[in-house]
Amino acid sequence: MMRVSGPTIADIARAAEVSTATVSHALNGTGRIGEATRRRVREVATGLGYGSHRTPRTRTRSLGLAVTTYAGLAWNFVEVAYFSRWLTAATAAAHVHGFALTTLPAERGAETLWHTLAVDGMLLLDSPEGDPVLRALRARGVPVVFDGRPADPRPGDIWVDNDHAATTREVLDHLAAAGARRIALHSGYGREYYTHAVTQAYEHWCTERGQVPLLIPFGPDDRVGRAFDPALATAARRPDAVYTVYDPGGRQLLAAAARHGLRVPDDLLLVCASEDPGYAEGELEVSTVTLNPEWTARSAVSALVALVESGQAGPPGQLTVPAGLRVRASSQPPVVRCQRS
């Protein structure tokens, strides 16, 4: 009778990111290793099925999805329109390919989860520098496809992303054409590539035009836009346009402008990167940038399925999805709006 092969000590060592000697000591109760390490190694071994002689059962093919930015904080990313639309499209695409899709919480919690998670491949969204989830998946040899350029890509890595430099320049050129002379960027919160790429493109654009960059820090809990107060308080420092690159930023700017007696777009032009349909409704329609999450999700799932099934998903590097600027009233000067009405 053929013996069913199982995980080896070397497999456990790779998954737990320890030496084979440490694994041996942990499993045998020997050696001088910390209790936390011993417990973690044993949990990883159990999760991988080490020592089990049961006949393997057919398992549904599955992909995992995790948003790993913001250092593992417990936040509900599904409430953000971009991630919500991404997740819906990715689930549908996975099912078309015959895969289930498991969505993991943002709070990483038990570290052993990533060492034992039973998936055929992982979709990582906004993976930051030093991502421990990515490190654990690489140690196990789990295929990964990224939404957003990884902080430290390796040869063979595949990611789906927009051309953030081109999109940023398009937004800034649009605001300048609408009459803006001092454009502020509302950004700088996350450590993911998106924030870095947009900020760098903004600073380059300002340098080319001899303008001093005005960076306003974004805070997810800053509902009334207090971060804008120093810039809006005095006419000498006041921007005449703002590009905010996170979903809540548009509402934060509108709240701050109202507090300072400023009107959008008469006194202040606004563009917000967001998938929230609410920005196209109401008394003031806000110009938005869409990053096309559905297109991105379908591309990422297709690449990961190809990687899982054949070991190849086409040339490594970036699969580029175009973003789109949707111009509405908030970034049009009064004279233009009058001409179109």
Side-chain angles (χ1 to χ4, degrees):
M1 182 174 64
M2 181 181 296
R3 187 177 72 86
V4 177
S5 62
T8 66
I9 287 180
D11 295 329
I12 299 169
R14 280 193 296 271
E17 300 180 80
V18 297
S19 68
T20 55
T22 298
V23 172
S24 179
H25 287 314
L27 297 180
N28 294 316
T30 60
R32 300 179 62 180
I33 60 175
E35 185 57 35
T37 300
R38 190 185 305 276
R39 183 171 58 253
R40 182 165 68 89
V41 170
R42 287 177 174 176
E43 289 175 350
V44 170
T46 299
L48 294 178
Y50 181 77
S52 173
H53 299 289
R54 294 174 295 176
T55 301
R57 294 174 293 179
T58 301
R59 179 175 65 83
T60 302
R61 298 192 303 172
S62 65
L63 306 177
L65 181 153
V67 180
T68 58
T69 192
Y70 304 149
L73 298 176
W75 63 292
N76 187 6
F77 58 83
V78 180
E79 291 181 346
V80 178
Y82 177 86
F83 294 117
S84 176
R85 290 172 56 177
W86 207 105
L87 176 57
T88 300
T91 301
H95 291 176
V96 167
H97 288 286
F99 285 77
L101 182 65
T102 300
T103 304
L104 285 304
E107 171 56 59
R108 291 195 276 268
E111 192 173 321
T112 54
L113 168 66
W114 306 105
H115 297 275
T116 60
L117 184 66
V119 293
D120 298 287
M122 279 292 298
L123 298 157
L124 289 189
L125 284 69
D126 289 345
S127 176
E129 184 178 0
D131 189 351
V133 175
L134 175 59
R135 187 175 66 245
L137 295 172
R138 288 199 194 279
R140 292 178 56 194
V142 176
V144 176
V145 168
F146 303 85
D147 172 11
R149 183 184 185 274
D152 186 20
R154 295 183 179 181
D157 278 351
I158 298 169
W159 62 91
V160 185
D161 206 350
N162 313 100
D163 186 339
H164 298 301
T167 303
T168 301
R169 295 176 81 79
E170 180 184 5
V171 171
L172 299 175
D173 287 343
H174 161 69
L175 291 171
R181 295 295 175 264
R182 181 166 169 75
I183 304 172
L185 180 69
H186 187 215
S187 179
Y189 179 71
R191 292 189 298 117
E192 76 281 5
Y193 180 74
Y194 169 63
T195 298
H196 168 76
V198 173
T199 303
Q200 186 178 62
Y202 166 75
E203 291 175 339
H204 286 171
W205 187 90
C206 290
T207 299
E208 291 171 2
R209 286 156 181 78
Q211 298 181 15
V212 178
L214 176 56
L215 294 169
I216 298 174
F218 169 80
D221 299 322
D222 183 17
R223 296 184 180 275
V224 295
R226 293 293 181 190
F228 290 101
D229 287 346
L232 300 183
T234 59
R237 292 197 59 196
R238 186 179 302 154
D240 53 12
V242 173
Y243 178 31
T244 176
V245 302
Y246 296 110
D247 192 79
R251 293 185 176 86
Q252 293 177 5
L253 184 277
L254 291 172
R259 189 166 58 252
H260 288 272
L262 301 173
R263 296 169 299 171
V264 176
D266 301 76
D267 304 309
L268 194 60
L269 303 177
L270 168 63
V271 175
C272 177
S274 175
E275 311 299 335
D276 186 347
Y279 279 120
E281 303 166 355
E283 184 176 344
L284 176 66
E285 295 183 353
V286 175
S287 298
T288 57
V289 169
T290 175
L291 303 180
N292 286 317
E294 290 87 357
W295 189 343
T296 302
R298 289 191 294 268
S299 299
V301 169
S302 296
L304 182 57
V305 168
L307 195 58
V308 168
E309 292 186 334
S310 67
Q312 294 182 340
Q318 177 167 318
L319 304 173
T320 302
V321 170
L325 171 61
R326 295 172 176 172
V327 177
R328 301 188 180 101
S330 71
S331 65
Q332 294 181 329
V335 63
V336 174
R337 286 184 284 119
C338 289
Q339 291 173 350
R340 292 187 178 184
S341 61

